Amino acid sequence: MTTKRIGGIDLSVSLINTKFMLNFTVGPVQSSDAVRAIGAEQVPYFRTEEFSELMLENERLLKKFANAPNDSKAVFMTCSGSGGMETAIMNCLTKDDKALVINGGSFGERFVELLSLHGIPFTEIKIERGKALKPKHLTPFDGKGYTAFLVQKHETSTGVHYDMDLVSEFCKRNGCFMIVDTISSFLCDPFDMAALGVGVMITGSQKALACPPGVALMILAPSALIRIKKTKCCCQYLDLKLALKNQERGQTPWTPAVGILRQINARLKEIDSMGGAETEISRTSHLASYFRARIKEFDLPFEIISESLSNAVTPLHPTTQSAYEIFLKIKNEYGMWVCPNGGDLRDSVFRVGHIGCLTEADYDRLINAFVDLREKSFI
Amino acid sequence: MTTKRIGGIDLSVSLINTKFMLNFTVGPVQSSDAVRAIGAEQVPYFRTEEFSELMLENERLLKKFANAPNDSKAVFMTCSGSGGMETAIMNCLTKDDKALVINGGSFGERFVELLSLHGIPFTEIKIERGKALKPKHLTPFDGKGYTAFLVQKHETSTGVHYDMDLVSEFCKRNGCFMIVDTISSFLCDPFDMAALGVGVMITGSQKALACPPGVALMILAPSALIRIKKTKCCCQYLDLKLALKNQERGQTPWTPAVGILRQINARLKEIDSMGGAETEISRTSHLASYFRARIKEFDLPFEIISESLSNAVTPLHPTTQSAYEIFLKIKNEYGMWVCPNGGDLRDSVFRVGHIGCLTEADYDRLINAFVDLREKSFI
C-alpha cells in the first residue's frame, strides 16, 4: 500500500462549506465564471428581438458542434434530459413503427418504459451491464423490418460508451430512424450527427454544457422533421411542432428557462472561442486520462467496470467498501461529491465525472481523499 | 396637459444597458439580491439529504402561504406554468368528467385547447375581454351534472381578477373539482385554498415568487390526490404519481432545475421572515395603487381596461398610439420593459406589472418616461 500523497493539499474538514464543495458528479456540474456571472443577473423579458437573436445563435452553435446535417433544426425544451427523451419518442414515433432499443442500464431502461407507455412496438436488446455493444448484438435483427433505433451513445448509469459506427451501419442497412441520447456524452466524445445519419439527438444543459439543469437541447435532422409533421403529439407542452414553429423566430411557445438559455449562450460562445467541440473533447479526455492514471498509480481498491469508456465519466467498483458509503464519506468529511448509483448498483458502483469546470488539481484533491480513506482503513 | 415630472430622475438614453433594464412585465420579473446571489453559486449535486430537506421546506412554506388544506401535497415540476396547467388536466381529469371552463382571454383559451387535446368533455363559458365574472355567467350551469371547473384566478392576458368566492360556491353546490391557475396572482391577491375548496392550484417560479422561470409549483388537495391515483397520465415526464412519490422524500423523478429550486427556497424564506403571504400581498397592492394613482394624476392617455383588477398588473389601453409601439419605445429609448400583448390585443393593450423587486421610485421613472413621450407627441 502506498501512502504517498499529491503534495500540499489541505484536506482538513474545517474547510468544508457547501458553497465550495468540489463536484465530480455527472450533473449538475461546475460552471465557468462567465456562466455563473449570468446567474447573478436579472433575467430579462424575453418576447423581444434581442432574446430571439440569442436563441438563434444557440441553435447555430449547437448544430455546429454536433456537425448536424444541413436543414436540421434545434429546439430548447424547458425540461430534463428524460423529458427530452420522451419528447423525441412522442413526436417522432407511432404505433406503425417497429423499434429496436439498446438496454444496458437505467437510461436504456427508461427508453423501454417510454416506448411501452406510448404504445410503440419494440424489441429490447439487453446488454450486460458494463459490457460494450458488439456486432453479435445487432446481426440477429438485420432484415427484420425494424424502422427505428433508440440508443444511449453513453449509458451514463454504468459508464459504457456504445459503438455508434456499428449502430449507424445497422440503421443505414435497415433504413432505421435513429434517436440518440447524447445527454452525457455530447462535447465529451466525438459525435458527427451528419456522418452517423442520426435523426434526433438529445442533450441537457447540466452535462458538458456545464450550465444549471432545466433545459433539454435537441437537434432534429430533416428525417425527424418529416416524422414530426406526420405525428400527433399527445402532450401540448412537449409538442415539437409548436417548438419548431416558434424557434423559427428564436422563440418558444411557453415561457422558457430564460436564465439558463442565456447561460447556455455564454457557454456555447466560450467553447467556440476556445476552438470548438474538438478542443472541449480533448480537454475532457485529458482529465479522464489524468484521473484514471492516478487511480492506477496509487493502486486504489477500485475496479473500472466499463468495457468501453466515455471521456465523460469513470465508473468504479470499490472492492473493500460500499460505493454509497464512500459517496457519503467523501461528501461529509472531504467536501466533495462523487456520483452515487441508485437501484441495485448502489453499493457496488460509484462514478467520477470529468465534465464541467474541473482541473488536474481538483482530481489531486480527490485522489488524496481516497488515499486518506485507505490510511484510515475505510477502504 | 401637465408637463410636471417626478423630480430628479435622469432619463438619458446613454444610461441604458440591458443589465440595468427596469422590468415591469409579468414574468420573468426582478429578483431580490438574495435570489440573485444564489444564481451566482455553483449548482450542488441534488440526490442528497441536504437537497431533500430544502425541497420539503419549499413544500411546507408554499402550502402555508396558500393556506392549503391538511394533507395536501406540493410538487415542483421543471416546466413552465402552461406545463403545470397541462399536468393538472392530464393527471386529474378523465373522459368521464364534464368540465366547465372560464375563457376570458388567452390563458382561458389555453385551458380550452388542453381539454380538447386530452379528450375531456367540457363546456366553455366565454367572458368578454376585460369583464368580470358575474353570477349570471354561472347560474345556467347549476344542477347540470358538471364534475370539474377550470379557471384562472387572474386572467393575466387582460388583467381580470375573477371572483373566486362565486366560483367556489358554484363548485360546492355542484360537487365540482376545482383546478385554479393562480400563476400570476399567487402572493399578489389573497388566496385561501382550504376555504375555497380548491383541488389543484398552479403557480410559476417567475411571477410573484420572483425567481427565474423554469419551475411550475402545484399544490394538490386530498381530493386531487384521489383523482391522481385513479388516472393514467399519458406523459411520463409530467406524471404526478411519480412526482408525488419522489417528493415524499424531497426528491424528483428527473433532474429538476436545482438552481431555481434553491432560489425559490431563499425567496420563500424571505417572504416568511417579512411576515408571510399577507405582507407580500399588501406590498404588491401598495405598488399597484401607487402606479394607478400616478396614471390618473398625470392624466396619461391610457384607459384601465379591466373591470376587476388584480394587484399583479395594470392593463392599459393607450388611446393615442399603438400599445406595441409604446412597448418598443419604452424598451429601446428608456431602458424599461412594460409587458406587450400578443394576438389581436397587440396594438390595443399593454400591461404594467407590480410583481418582483420594484419600488415607488421605479414607477416614478416609468411615469416620467410616459410624460416624456407625451411631450414628444408620441402618445
Side-chain angles (χ1 to χ4, degrees):
Chain A
M1 187 202 290
T2 169
T3 56
K4 72 168 172 170
R5 302 204 189 180
I6 299 164
I9 291 165
D10 184 351
L11 283 170
S12 65
V13 180
S14 64
L15 289 180
I16 298 173
N17 177 318
T18 51
K19 284 201 187 173
F20 302 105
M21 293 281 288
L22 259 179
N23 185 351
F24 297 99
T25 70
V26 286
V29 301
Q30 295 185 167
S31 298
S32 67
D33 291 346
V35 166
R36 293 197 295 120
I38 290 171
E41 290 178 12
Q42 295 289 6
V43 176
Y45 184 64
F46 66 105
R47 297 292 187 201
T48 61
E49 211 180 299
E50 293 79 4
F51 186 67
S52 290
E53 275 171 27
L54 179 144
M55 287 290 276
L56 294 170
E57 185 171 50
N58 282 355
E59 180 173 11
R60 187 177 63 74
L61 288 171
L62 179 67
K63 282 161 53 179
K64 175 178 167 185
F65 297 157
N67 193 33
N70 291 336
D71 302 322
S72 298
K73 303 284 176 192
V75 291
F76 302 84
M77 310 296 283
T78 298
C79 64
S80 72
S82 297
M85 287 161 67
E86 186 166 18
T87 299
I89 290 174
M90 282 195 295
N91 285 273
C92 297
L93 303 183
T94 72
K95 291 176 181 16
D96 297 331
D97 276 302
K98 188 178 164 188
L100 266 178
V101 56
I102 302 292
N103 177 359
S106 54
F107 292 98
E109 189 68 36
R110 190 159 299 163
F111 264 149
V112 168
E113 285 170 15
L114 289 167
L115 290 167
S116 305
L117 175 67
H118 293 288
I120 315 297
F122 70 95
T123 304
E124 182 179 353
I125 305 178
K126 277 230 176 196
I127 310 282
E128 205 189 322
R129 283 171 178 187
K131 298 299 179 192
L133 183 72
K134 304 213 174 75
K136 66 170 184 191
H137 294 118
L138 300 182
T139 42
F141 303 99
D142 257 318
K144 297 276 166 67
Y146 286 92
T147 61
F149 199 111
L150 296 94
V151 63
Q152 273 64 43
K153 181 162 183 281
H154 171 224
E155 170 55 64
T156 324
S157 66
T158 51
V160 178
H161 187 251
Y162 293 132
D163 182 343
M164 281 297 110
D165 290 330
L166 198 61
V167 174
S168 170
E169 282 155 24
F170 177 91
C171 289
K172 284 174 182 167
R173 254 188 341 261
N174 289 276
C176 287
F177 178 73
M178 263 174 93
I179 296 179
V180 183
D181 161 1
T182 64
I183 294 173
S184 66
S185 66
F186 182 59
L187 298 172
C188 300
D189 305 295
F191 177 68
D192 186 327
M193 187 172 173
L196 293 169
V198 170
V200 181
M201 77 81 99
I202 309 144
T203 191
S205 52
Q206 84 280 20
K207 302 294 185 182
L209 279 170
C211 287
V215 173
L217 304 89
M218 302 175 72
I219 307 181
L220 309 158
S223 57
L225 300 174
I226 292 167
R227 281 180 166 258
I228 292 163
K229 220 173 184 172
K230 291 193 294 194
T231 307
K232 185 173 158 58
C233 180
C234 74
C235 176
Q236 188 187 61
Y237 182 67
L238 299 174
D239 191 333
L240 287 178
K241 278 187 210 68
L242 299 172
L244 283 163
K245 195 179 161 218
N246 278 269
Q247 177 61 23
E248 276 176 26
R249 56 182 178 108
Q251 288 287 332
T252 55
W254 332 113
T255 303
V258 177
I260 300 169
L261 289 162
R262 295 180 75 229
Q263 291 176 302
I264 288 172
N265 185 256
R267 173 67 173 142
L268 288 170
K269 288 197 288 197
E270 191 176 81
I271 293 169
D272 201 37
S273 70
M274 309 271 274
E278 270 178 51
T279 311
E280 181 60 19
I281 290 166
S282 46
R283 195 186 66 82
T284 309
S285 165
H286 174 81
L287 285 176
S289 306
Y290 182 82
F291 174 72
R292 291 165 192 168
R294 294 292 87 68
I295 289 283
K296 230 179 222 173
E297 180 190 342
F298 286 83
D299 196 25
L300 288 162
F302 304 146
E303 288 168 4
I304 294 180
I305 56 155
S306 164
E307 220 177 59
S308 169
L309 288 164
S310 158
N311 293 319
V313 68
T314 304
L316 296 164
H317 166 58
T319 53
T320 58
Q321 175 61 278
S322 147
Y324 197 77
E325 292 300 321
I326 293 173
F327 158 71
L328 288 179
K329 198 81 169 175
I330 291 286
K331 169 170 83 69
N332 296 331
E333 297 189 13
Y334 298 87
M336 298 183 248
W337 289 292
V338 295
C339 199
N341 270 59
D344 50 355
L345 293 182
R346 180 185 153 112
D347 285 318
S348 59
V349 178
F350 72 88
R351 294 162 293 164
V352 173
H354 310 299
I355 50 186
C357 206
L358 287 164
T359 64
E360 288 185 6
D362 295 329
Y363 287 99
D364 289 349
R365 194 174 166 94
L366 179 62
I367 292 286
N368 279 353
F370 290 142
V371 169
D372 203 48
L373 285 179
R374 182 171 52 191
E375 276 177 24
K376 292 175 175 156
S377 301
F378 185 80
I379 55 173
Chain B
M1 187 202 290
T2 169
T3 57
K4 71 169 172 168
R5 300 202 191 181
I6 300 165
I9 293 165
D10 186 350
L11 283 170
S12 67
V13 179
S14 64
L15 290 181
I16 297 173
N17 178 317
T18 50
K19 284 200 190 176
F20 302 105
M21 293 281 288
L22 258 179
N23 185 351
F24 297 99
T25 69
V26 287
V29 300
Q30 296 185 168
S31 297
S32 67
D33 291 347
V35 166
R36 294 198 293 119
I38 290 170
E41 290 177 12
Q42 295 290 6
V43 176
Y45 183 63
F46 67 105
R47 298 290 188 201
T48 61
E49 212 181 299
E50 293 78 6
F51 186 67
S52 290
E53 275 170 28
L54 180 145
M55 288 290 276
L56 293 171
E57 184 170 53
N58 283 355
E59 179 174 10
R60 187 178 63 74
L61 288 171
L62 180 67
K63 282 160 54 179
K64 176 179 166 183
F65 297 158
N67 193 33
N70 291 335
D71 302 320
S72 298
K73 302 283 177 193
V75 291
F76 302 84
M77 310 295 286
T78 297
C79 65
S80 73
S82 297
M85 288 162 64
E86 186 166 20
T87 299
I89 290 174
M90 282 196 294
N91 285 274
C92 297
L93 303 183
T94 72
K95 290 176 182 18
D96 297 331
D97 276 303
K98 189 178 163 188
L100 267 178
V101 55
I102 302 293
N103 178 358
S106 53
F107 292 96
E109 190 69 35
R110 189 158 300 161
F111 264 149
V112 168
E113 285 170 17
L114 289 167
L115 289 167
S116 306
L117 175 66
H118 293 287
I120 316 296
F122 71 93
T123 304
E124 181 179 353
I125 304 177
K126 278 230 176 197
I127 309 282
E128 205 188 321
R129 281 171 179 188
K131 299 298 181 194
L133 182 72
K134 303 212 174 77
K136 68 171 184 192
H137 293 117
L138 301 183
T139 43
F141 303 99
D142 257 318
K144 295 277 166 66
Y146 286 94
T147 60
F149 200 112
L150 295 95
V151 62
Q152 272 64 43
K153 181 161 184 281
H154 172 224
E155 170 53 65
T156 325
S157 67
T158 52
V160 179
H161 186 250
Y162 293 132
D163 183 342
M164 280 298 110
D165 290 330
L166 198 61
V167 174
S168 170
E169 282 155 26
F170 177 90
C171 288
K172 285 175 182 168
R173 252 188 343 259
N174 290 276
C176 286
F177 178 73
M178 265 174 90
I179 296 179
V180 182
D181 161 2
T182 64
I183 294 172
S184 67
S185 66
F186 182 60
L187 297 173
C188 301
D189 305 295
F191 177 67
D192 186 328
M193 188 172 173
L196 293 170
V198 171
V200 181
M201 78 80 100
I202 309 143
T203 190
S205 52
Q206 83 280 19
K207 302 294 182 181
L209 278 171
C211 288
V215 173
L217 304 90
M218 302 175 72
I219 306 180
L220 309 159
S223 58
L225 300 175
I226 292 168
R227 280 180 166 260
I228 292 163
K229 222 172 184 175
K230 292 193 294 192
T231 307
K232 186 174 155 59
C233 180
C234 74
C235 176
Q236 188 187 61
Y237 183 68
L238 300 175
D239 191 332
L240 287 179
K241 276 188 213 67
L242 300 173
L244 283 163
K245 195 179 160 219
N246 279 268
Q247 177 62 24
E248 277 176 25
R249 56 182 179 112
Q251 287 288 331
T252 54
W254 331 113
T255 302
V258 177
I260 299 170
L261 288 163
R262 293 179 78 227
Q263 292 176 302
I264 288 172
N265 185 256
R267 174 65 171 143
L268 288 171
K269 289 197 288 196
E270 190 176 82
I271 293 169
D272 201 37
S273 70
M274 309 271 275
E278 270 179 48
T279 311
E280 182 59 20
I281 290 166
S282 45
R283 195 187 68 82
T284 310
S285 164
H286 174 82
L287 285 176
S289 305
Y290 182 85
F291 174 71
R292 289 164 193 170
R294 296 291 89 69
I295 289 284
K296 227 178 224 176
E297 179 191 344
F298 286 84
D299 197 23
L300 289 162
F302 304 146
E303 289 168 3
I304 293 179
I305 55 153
S306 164
E307 220 177 57
S308 169
L309 288 164
S310 158
N311 293 319
V313 68
T314 304
L316 296 163
H317 166 59
T319 53
T320 59
Q321 175 62 277
S322 148
Y324 197 78
E325 292 301 322
I326 293 172
F327 158 71
L328 288 179
K329 199 80 167 179
I330 290 287
K331 170 170 81 72
N332 296 333
E333 297 189 15
Y334 298 87
M336 296 182 249
W337 289 292
V338 295
C339 199
N341 271 58
D344 49 357
L345 294 181
R346 180 186 151 109
D347 286 318
S348 59
V349 178
F350 72 88
R351 292 163 293 163
V352 173
H354 311 299
I355 51 186
C357 206
L358 288 165
T359 63
E360 288 184 7
D362 294 329
Y363 286 100
D364 290 348
R365 195 173 166 95
L366 179 61
I367 292 287
N368 278 354
F370 289 143
V371 169
D372 202 51
L373 285 179
R374 183 171 52 191
E375 274 176 26
K376 290 173 176 157
S377 301
F378 184 80
I379 57 172

